[in-house]
Every structure is written in C-alpha cells, then in structure tokens.
Amino acid sequence: MANEVTAPNVGNSLSAAIKPLLLLLGIAAAVAVGLTVAMWSRGTSYSLLYANLSAEDQAQVAQALDAAQIHYRLQPGSNAIEVQSDRLADARLKLAGQGLPEGGGGFATLDKDPGFGVSQFVESARYQHALETELARTIANLRPVEGARVHIALSRQSAFVRDHRPASASVFVQLKAGQRLEQQQVQAIINLVASSIPELEANQVTVVDQQGRLLSQPPGHDEFSLREEQFDLVRRLEDDYRQRVEALLTPLVGSGHVRAQVVAQLDMAASEEAREQYRPESQVVRSEQSTEQTNHEGGGSAGVPGALTNQPPAGGVAQPPPAPAAPSAAAPAGAAGKAAANAAPAAPAPMPPENISRESTKNYEIDRTLAYTHEPGGKLKRLTVAVLVDDVHSTDKDGKSTSTPLSAAQIDHITQLVKDAVGFDQARGDTVSVVNASFTPETPAPEGEIQAPAIWEKPLFRDLVSLVCGALVLVVLVLTVLRPLVKNLLTIPRERSVALAAAGAATLPPQAAQATADPTQQLNQARTLVSQDPKRVAQVVRGWVEQDG
C-alpha cells in the first residue's frame, strides 16, 4: 500500500528537492544585489581636484594625498585627479601648503634655494622658464583658452653692434571646444607678450592654435589678406548699424521684441587724383614798377673822353663895343646915361635840349588751383536694412494675453526712425524694410554674466539620484524576487498537507475519494486520518524521507 501511495509522487519529490535550493540561491542573490545597491547609493562621490597635470605633478600630488589619508582616483584620459567631494577643500589647502602642484614652476621657483655653485647660464635659463610659465598662465585665463605655452628666444648680448639680433617669441594656445579667438584677442596676446619682454617688437610674436593655424598673421598686401580685412570692415560696420537700430527701437517696443539685420555694400577701390587748374579770366596785379629818366644835352662836358677833349679853349677875338645912340634933344643928359647903363649887359644864353624817358612794368597773377585727392577704400555704396518688430502684447483683467499688430502709422514712424538712425540716402540707393509679425523671443544671457551650473551638475542632485535609483532597485527586488520566494515558502506546508490528504484519500474507497475531491475537504480528511491512524501517516512520511534522501 505504501508503494502505491508514494509511486505517483516520484516526479513531485524531485521538484520538491530542487525547489528549496533554488529558493536559497534566489534569496542570496537578492541580498547581494540589495547590499551592492545600498553601498553604491551611499557611496562616496568624487569631485575634480586638478586637471591636465604632468606625470611629475601627478606623482607628487598622489604622495601628498596618501600622506593626508585622502582617497583619490586618477583619470588617465585627462590626466586629472579626483578626490572625495566632502574633502575637496581640505585637499586643496594641504596641497597649497606644500606648494603643489608646481605646474612647471613660475616665479615661485625663484624663491627656492638654487644651491651652491649655480652658473649664471643656469640662473638665466631658470628666469626665462619662469617668465614663460607666468605668461602662459596669464594667457590661459582668457575665456576661450584652455591652456597655453610660451617660448621666448632672447639674443645674447654682444660688443659688436652688427651682431645684435632682436628677441622673438611664440605662443601656443589650446582653445576650448567650440571657441575661437577674435583678431582683437590675438592682438591683445601679442601686445601682452611684447610688453613683458624687453626689446621685443610686436611683429616678432607668433600665435598658433592646436589646429596648427597661424593666428598672428601680419597684415600683408596679398589678395587673401586684403579680402579678410575688407570682410572684417564690412562685418563691423553692419554690426554697428544693427546695434544702433536695436538700441533705438528697444525702448519703444520692449526688450527682445525687435530684430534687425543690415547689409552694407562698400567700394573697396582706392583712388588718388592730382589736379592743377587755371582761370584766365581772373587776373590780379602782383607787382608794378615805374622808371623815369631825364637827359640834358650841352652846357657840360661833351665829346669823346680823352686827352684831346680835355684841351683849353682857343683864344677869342674881342669885339668892339657897340656905338652909343645919340641922345635926343628933349632928353636930358642924366636919362641918356641910364639908358646906356641898361643896354650894356649881354643877352642870356639859350637852354640846352632835354631828353626824358619813362618806363612802367606791371606783373599780373592768374588764378591757379592745385588739388590732390586721396580716397581710401571702404566708401559706402549702398545700405539695406531689414527690421522685424513683434506685435504689441497686452494682458486683460482675466489674465489672458493678447497680441495686437502694429498700425500703419506706427510702422511708418518706426521706418522713419530707422532711416534717421542709419543715415538713409535715397540717391545712394538705400532701402529700409520694416515688417510686423508675432514672435516669441529668446533672451540670451548677457555676455560676461556668471551662469549658475545646471541642476544635474550639482553634487546634491547626483546624491539624490543615486539614492532614488537604489531605492527603486530594492523595491524591484522585493516585488520580483523576495515576494515570490516568501509566497512559495508559505505554500510548501500547505502542499504537504494536501499531499497527506491525497495519500489518505488514496486508501479510501473510490466513492469517498470522489466525494473529497475538494482540497479543503481533503485537508480535513488528512487531519482526521492523522488523528485516527498515526501509524499509516508515519509510514507515508517515512517513504517521502527515503525518496528525498
């Protein structure tokens, strides 16, 4: 009878033997996973201590952290060292107290004892290396620059003037991802290096980026350089006009409610002109000269100069005096004597001829114009302005926002303001277009403002995420592993009871077995059988134990 009872349960006994082992393995795995998740969620978070360290600096920093018993980990890809977030400030203070990381020295290395017997050449080399390091650190503080290196070539002093060579320098900059240096920033780096080194001209400084591009290309006269300069000139002019228009309309329509674009066409051809012009109809007396000459002939020396001319005159012949007139009878004797006295003097000699010559000279100046004109390139030929203005947004009493398009008068008013702002010239062919449309602007963060880190970059957020993830994993383990295991453990005694009832039912008549097909009734019957015939029940259990063994 016992064989008949236990024979149908051979397959069930095998599954019953494996099931406890599987349950134990599942429980162990669940506990291990739960402990791992708990330790991970409560694990120590690390923060960046220093990045881009050399091998020597990494070794020194690692030794200092080990001595201070501060846990750290290395990042081989970026040569960075991370420490526990709660001990980040402590680690930096301890390293700073020890002068780590040295980072190649700088002027701080000059404070150390150079040792005995150091030559002047070594001292000069140390000073030059310290200067290069300090310049590199200064350049690396620029926003687009991630790192920099400076190399200086100083000429040796010589007693011969002909052997003097100017100093030169080269700068290597490593830019951040997506960043670029403007031409003004490159020029600022050049001036910074040139001003820090004596006898170094700005044109002797070279700047190169990590892509091998020459950033400090001197202004040349080739076609490419000229085109680049012209493009920069046009861009600066367009930006100036655009900022001028937006600054004028922003108080009228509100911040972020206006967009402007300007296209400027420039004439880059340079011209020179020299002109000389005369006006014959315009005459001006510049100077006048008058000369008058008078010449008297005779009465003086005449003849050819010489010895023959300077002879005394020839002797003269005396002429008899004229006979006196007979006095009249009526005239008295005294009157006759007076008349003779008056007639005695001789007649005066005639005046010699006179030659007079006059000469007058006038100098006239004709109106003359000399003009030299030099017009450099960059003359504005045409200006095109496009302005987009947002609708007028208003909020009613219910808090509902509405937008109202601008009227034609308002658009005309804005158009006139834009024309006045850019210096509109219709003869030049300028055009101004103002369009009204509804749009939602995105106000960018002002340049130079310190932006707060994103919430996902904060250590507190990472800690909360790790705790939440650990809790979720534990809940999943409880619902998917532990709960079914506990349920199975609780159902094992019930299955054994049902089996005992089934075994007792097997000894009953077929009619009684069919009547007790209900599991509850079978369980009651099994209990009754155990109380009535414990020997048979013991025999059945002994058979199960032998089968399990």
Side-chain angles (χ1 to χ4, degrees):
M1 180 66 67
N3 294 332
E4 293 178 358
V5 174
T6 58
N9 297 328
V10 174
N12 296 332
S13 62
L14 294 177
S15 61
I18 298 176
K19 186 178 292 186
L21 181 61
L22 295 178
L23 292 176
L24 292 177
L25 292 177
I27 293 174
V31 171
V33 173
L35 292 176
T36 302
V37 172
M39 293 178 63
W40 172 78
S41 61
R42 298 181 59 185
T44 304
S45 60
Y46 287 83
S47 299
L48 179 63
L49 179 62
Y50 293 110
N52 298 326
L53 294 177
S54 60
E56 295 80 3
D57 291 338
Q58 283 185 353
Q60 295 178 0
V61 171
Q63 292 178 1
L65 294 177
D66 290 335
Q69 296 181 357
I70 299 177
H71 296 283
Y72 65 91
R73 61 185 183 185
L74 302 177
Q75 298 291 340
S78 59
N79 296 329
I81 295 182
E82 296 180 351
V83 297
Q84 299 175 1
S85 301
D86 55 347
R87 303 200 64 183
L88 178 62
D90 187 16
R92 288 184 176 177
L93 288 176
K94 291 183 179 297
L95 294 176
Q98 301 178 12
L100 297 176
E102 295 183 357
F107 285 123
T109 58
L110 300 180
D111 297 336
K112 298 181 179 180
D113 186 10
F116 180 76
V118 178
S119 62
Q120 185 178 2
F121 174 77
V122 175
E123 291 181 354
S124 301
R126 288 180 177 176
Y127 175 78
Q128 181 175 343
H129 180 67
L131 181 60
E132 293 174 349
T133 304
E134 293 295 334
L135 287 175
R137 291 177 179 176
T138 304
I139 297 173
N141 290 330
L142 295 177
R143 181 176 300 176
V145 180
E146 183 177 358
R149 297 191 65 181
V150 180
H151 304 280
I152 303 174
L154 298 176
S155 61
R156 296 182 180 180
Q157 296 182 358
S158 176
F160 300 96
V161 179
R162 295 181 179 179
D163 294 341
H164 179 73
R165 296 180 181 179
S168 60
S170 58
V171 182
F172 172 81
V173 292
Q174 183 176 1
L175 303 179
K176 297 180 181 178
Q179 298 289 335
R180 62 184 297 268
L181 286 175
E182 300 292 339
Q183 188 62 32
Q184 295 179 354
Q185 294 174 330
V186 175
Q187 191 64 35
I189 294 176
I190 294 174
N191 294 336
L192 174 65
V193 177
S195 301
S196 303
I197 302 173
E199 298 182 0
L200 177 61
E201 301 293 337
N203 55 5
Q204 297 294 329
V205 181
T206 304
V207 182
V208 183
D209 64 355
Q210 72 269 23
Q211 301 295 335
R213 294 175 296 184
L214 182 61
L215 304 180
S216 61
Q217 185 174 3
H221 299 283
D222 56 337
E223 183 178 357
F224 179 77
S225 300
L226 293 177
R227 288 184 179 273
E228 187 175 1
E229 294 178 1
Q230 294 172 1
F231 176 75
D232 292 339
L233 176 61
V234 173
R235 186 180 61 181
R236 290 197 301 269
L237 183 62
E238 292 176 349
D239 291 341
D240 180 68
Y241 279 121
R242 178 182 56 80
Q243 295 175 3
R244 193 182 303 178
V245 172
E246 292 183 354
L248 181 63
L249 298 182
T250 296
L252 183 62
V253 299
S255 177
H257 294 276
V258 59
R259 295 290 185 270
Q261 292 294 332
V262 180
V263 177
Q265 297 180 3
L266 301 182
D267 186 6
M268 297 301 177
S271 62
E272 295 183 4
E273 180 182 2
R275 184 176 66 257
E276 184 175 359
Q277 184 178 2
Y278 292 92
R279 298 178 61 186
E281 66 277 2
S282 177
Q283 298 180 0
V284 180
V285 178
R286 180 179 182 182
S287 62
E288 183 177 0
Q289 182 179 4
S290 298
T291 304
E292 184 176 352
Q293 183 178 5
T294 304
N295 186 13
H296 298 277
E297 296 182 357
S301 299
V304 180
L308 297 176
T309 306
N310 296 332
Q311 296 296 328
V317 179
Q319 298 292 335
S328 60
K338 291 181 180 180
N342 293 330
M351 294 297 295
E354 182 178 351
N355 186 11
I356 300 175
S357 62
R358 293 183 177 89
E359 183 179 356
S360 178
T361 303
K362 292 184 178 181
N363 295 325
Y364 292 92
E365 191 71 29
I366 301 177
D367 188 6
R368 177 189 178 193
T369 302
L370 294 177
Y372 176 77
T373 305
H374 173 71
E375 294 183 0
K379 183 179 179 181
L380 184 60
K381 294 176 58 178
R382 186 181 179 184
L383 201 62
T384 304
V385 183
V387 181
L388 182 62
V389 183
D390 192 12
D391 293 342
V392 178
H393 297 274
S394 59
T395 305
D396 54 9
K397 298 180 180 180
D398 299 335
K400 183 178 180 181
S401 178
T402 59
S403 59
T404 305
L406 298 178
S407 61
Q410 292 176 335
I411 294 178
D412 295 340
H413 180 61
I414 294 176
T415 304
Q416 186 62 36
L417 288 177
V418 174
K419 289 182 179 180
D420 295 339
V422 300
F424 178 80
D425 188 359
Q426 187 175 2
R428 193 171 53 194
D430 297 347
T431 58
V432 175
S433 177
V434 178
V435 178
N436 173 228
S438 179
F439 62 96
T440 304
E442 295 181 1
T443 305
E447 185 177 359
E449 182 180 353
I450 299 177
Q451 298 182 358
I455 188 173
W456 55 84
E457 296 180 357
K458 296 182 179 180
L460 179 61
F461 179 79
R462 293 196 295 266
D463 296 341
L464 291 177
V465 170
S466 61
L467 291 176
V468 171
C469 292
L472 290 177
V473 172
L474 292 177
V475 170
V476 170
L477 288 176
V478 170
L479 295 178
T480 59
V481 178
L482 295 180
R483 183 180 179 184
L485 291 177
V486 173
K487 185 176 181 180
N488 291 333
L489 291 175
L490 294 177
T491 55
I492 289 177
R494 181 178 179 181
E495 292 179 355
R496 290 295 179 92
S497 300
V498 173
L500 289 173
T507 59
L508 298 175
Q511 294 80 8
Q514 292 178 359
T516 59
D518 188 8
T520 304
Q521 296 179 1
Q522 292 180 0
L523 182 60
N524 295 330
Q525 292 178 1
R527 292 176 180 176
T528 304
L529 183 63
V530 169
S531 59
Q532 293 178 0
D533 194 357
K535 294 183 179 179
R536 182 179 298 179
V537 174
Q539 186 178 2
V540 173
V541 172
R542 188 181 299 110
W544 288 344
V545 171
E546 291 178 356
Q547 293 179 0
D548 294 340

